[in-house]
């Protein structure tokens, strides 16, 4: 029994260690939280989506990305130069690709919404440093997470590395990747299949009480990561308190 208990206690640490080693150390699970358990995807790299995710009737707010974090340490000057060239196109390219992939199923806006899409670059390589005579591809590694704007709950998480000959092609690859992301999120927007008719009406399901303490912790986490200002946090705290009173 003692051996089994020790094994059960070791499992979470083992899973976190495996996740930390993904993508050669470019994936930091702490940024996403313990809910995300990544699996490979042909189109999107590494991903996790909350089971049963339903986004119908919601609005997607594509927020400005966090400052880049170099998880493998600072790169050469031409690597940082690639990121400087890419930075202005990251949010517009993401929003453009999402809108195209979603095909109107979910509103995408840079100003407001009840869903936050947050991103950051974690690594970049600028190829050989000479775009005209490049012998190695440029790479851009980034994280994205979809969170509930009111509670801060993680709804989806993505980590991917793009390759391209230069910054211009990288921008195109980024937009096309974002289009694939839009298609995936669109699957959570469509109408649900109607249940077959039953002789008796189903019993009314009672929702569990709203976890106010957990919501406040997630909001503080977003503030600590620099993703929300104090004013934005105060608005979310008030919304969470109001939701707790109604539950």
């Amino acid at each position: 029994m003692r051996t089994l208990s020790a094994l059960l206690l070791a499992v979470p640490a083992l899973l976190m260690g495996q996740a930390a080693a993904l993508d050669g150390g470019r994936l930091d699970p702490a940024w996403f939280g313990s809910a995300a358990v990544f699996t490979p995807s042909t189109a999107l790299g590494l991903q996790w989506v909350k089971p049963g995710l339903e986004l119908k009737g919601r609005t997607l707010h594509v927020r400005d990305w966090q400052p880049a974090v170099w998880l493998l340490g600072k790169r050469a000057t031409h690597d940082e130069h690639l990121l400087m060239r890419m930075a202005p196109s990251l949010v517009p390219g993401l929003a453009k690709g999402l809108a195209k992939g979603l095909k109107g199923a979910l509103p995408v806006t840079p100003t407001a919404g009840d869903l936050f899409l947050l991103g950051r670059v974690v690594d970049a390589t600028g190829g050989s440093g000479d775009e005209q005579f490049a012998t190695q591809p440029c790479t851009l590694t980034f994280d994205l997470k979809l969170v509930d704007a009111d509670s801060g709950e993680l709804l989806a998480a993505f980590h991917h590395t793009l390759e391209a000959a230069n910054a211009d092609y990288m921008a195109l690859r980024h937009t096309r990747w974002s289009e694939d992301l839009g298609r995936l999120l669109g699957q959570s927007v469509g109408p649900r299949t109607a249940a077959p008719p039953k002789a008796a009406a189903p019993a009314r399901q009672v929702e569990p009480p709203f976890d106010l303490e957990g919501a406040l912790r997630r909001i503080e986490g977003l503030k600590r990561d620099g993703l929300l200002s104090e004013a934005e946090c105060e608005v979310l705290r008030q919304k969470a308190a109001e939701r707790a009173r109604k539950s």
Side-chain angles (χ1 to χ4, degrees):
M1 181 64 70
R2 185 174 299 175
T3 302
L4 177 59
S5 299
L7 178 60
L8 292 175
L9 290 173
V11 167
L14 177 61
L15 291 176
M16 291 296 287
Q18 290 173 339
L22 289 173
D23 201 15
R26 295 177 181 85
L27 174 56
D28 177 13
W31 192 74
F32 298 97
S34 59
V37 180
F38 288 91
T39 57
S41 163
T42 302
L44 298 173
L46 296 173
Q47 68 176 50
W48 173 84
V49 177
K50 179 183 177 181
L53 180 63
E54 174 59 55
L55 301 180
K56 188 174 182 179
R58 309 194 68 172
T59 300
L60 182 59
H61 180 184
V62 181
R63 297 178 64 95
D64 290 339
W65 283 25
Q66 279 187 272
V69 291
W70 300 86
L71 294 183
L72 297 183
K74 281 286 187 178
R75 296 283 194 172
T77 301
H78 61 272
D79 299 329
E80 297 188 26
H81 180 66
L82 170 69
L83 182 55
M84 290 176 59
R85 290 194 56 184
M86 286 293 303
S89 67
L90 290 174
V91 173
L94 176 60
K96 179 181 178 181
L98 281 169
K100 187 174 181 180
L102 284 164
K103 297 181 179 179
L106 188 70
V108 179
T109 170
T111 56
D114 57 359
L115 297 169
F116 287 164
L117 188 60
L118 312 168
R120 67 175 187 173
V121 172
V122 297
D123 193 44
T125 59
S128 64
D130 187 335
E131 292 191 1
Q132 290 184 341
F133 303 99
T135 57
Q136 296 179 343
C138 302
T139 66
L140 184 75
T141 306
F142 57 90
D143 296 333
L144 279 177
K145 59 183 176 182
L146 180 69
V147 302
D148 184 280
D150 289 337
S151 67
E153 178 189 7
L154 181 70
L155 303 178
F158 305 92
H159 173 88
H160 191 49
T161 297
L162 295 173
E163 290 188 1
N166 54 49
D168 293 333
Y169 284 113
M170 184 71 76
L172 292 175
R173 291 289 309 277
H174 174 60
T175 300
R176 289 169 183 165
W177 182 92
S178 303
E179 186 176 343
D180 289 333
L181 175 60
R183 294 191 185 97
L184 174 68
L185 296 180
Q187 297 174 11
S188 301
V189 182
R192 293 180 174 178
T193 304
K198 296 181 180 180
R204 182 175 180 270
Q205 294 183 351
V206 179
E207 293 185 1
F210 178 69
D211 182 11
L212 177 59
E213 182 178 350
L216 294 177
R217 285 199 304 269
R218 288 190 289 268
I219 293 169
E220 290 303 316
L222 293 173
K223 177 186 175 184
R224 187 170 55 251
D225 290 342
L227 301 173
L228 294 176
S229 66
E230 174 58 31
E232 290 174 317
C233 285
E234 183 59 30
V235 171
L236 295 183
R237 293 187 195 108
Q238 293 176 6
K239 287 184 178 180
E242 181 179 354
R243 183 172 174 182
R245 287 194 298 270
K246 293 179 179 179
S247 65

